Amino acid sequence: MLKHWAPLTLFLRVAGAPIDNNICERALKKAILHRKNSLFYRTVYGAHVGDLYMSLIHTAELNGVEPSLTS
């Protein structure tokens, strides 16, 4: 550990660096959930449609828009 101390503590020397990586973990959680759900697609076309919807939902959430199925 002493050999790697400088790289391990680099974030402490950068002003404003986040201590956690919750943003990354939330993004990965969505990808993992989509992967689990994609096991139930019956066709390749269905998988493409599911990917499209997940992309739209995630983009809406990143832009602060509540994704919903109703207009």
Side-chain angles (χ1 to χ4, degrees):
M1 181 140 157
L2 291 175
K3 215 162 101 175
H4 302 287
W5 188 253
L8 287 172
T9 59
L10 179 64
F11 74 96
L12 295 173
R13 294 185 293 273
V14 177
I19 295 177
D20 59 12
N21 63 348
N22 287 336
I23 294 171
C24 296
E25 289 179 7
R26 279 187 293 226
L28 287 174
K29 192 173 190 180
K30 290 190 184 302
I32 291 168
L33 179 63
H34 177 61
R35 184 179 63 201
K36 286 181 180 179
N37 290 339
S38 68
L39 293 173
F40 301 103
Y41 294 140
R42 294 182 182 215
T43 64
V44 174
Y45 179 74
H48 287 298
V49 171
D51 292 341
L52 177 68
Y53 278 123
M54 282 305 298
S55 175
L56 290 172
I57 289 169
H58 187 63
T59 302
E61 288 176 351
L62 287 175
N63 289 303
V65 176
E66 179 67 29
S68 64
L69 296 176
T70 58
S71 300

